[in-house]
Amino acid sequence: MPLERAGGVLSGALNAGLPTGLQAEELFDAIVESPGVRIERIVSTGQATPDGDWYDQSRDEFVLLVSGAARLRIDGESRDRDLEPGDWLLLPAHCRHRVTWTQVAPPTIWLVVHFDAAPGGPGDKE
């Protein structure tokens, strides 16, 4: 994903540089990375988390489905969550989850923000 910098302002387009058709792997593009936060675009074209595998991350994660469609399973829930453009989730650190399906075409685009929770914030476990 091409990023441009002009006068200290960084810009880009989430729908730029998209693959066509099924790809072997998801595409991960870091937009911003600094201590305490990482913002990335993920492009999926039919990928899913392998059976038996779960994401279990040490940071809180805000996930926005920008385009396409996906299904996500959260550990302990009885069924998948269907996600459409505009749907978002705030997954606290160590909330085990997995992607069970993504739309191939047009590609599924995610905007993901990994961040360290502020004490007393929505992701704080205390």
Side-chain angles (χ1 to χ4, degrees), residues 4-65:
E4 296 180 22
R5 183 177 300 274
V9 175
L10 189 63
S11 65
L14 292 176
N15 61 354
L18 296 177
T20 57
L22 182 64
Q23 304 294 304
E25 296 182 5
E26 287 179 306
L27 177 64
F28 291 83
D29 292 306
I31 297 171
V32 173
E33 190 160 10
S34 65
V37 68
R38 176 183 169 85
I39 303 173
E40 64 186 348
R41 175 187 79 165
I42 302 171
V43 179
S44 306
T45 56
Q47 290 81 14
T49 309
D51 287 339
D53 286 355
W54 294 89
Y55 291 107
D56 184 351
Q57 296 161 200
S58 62
R59 300 168 98 182
D60 288 357
E61 180 180 15
F62 174 84
V63 178
L64 168 68
L65 192 76

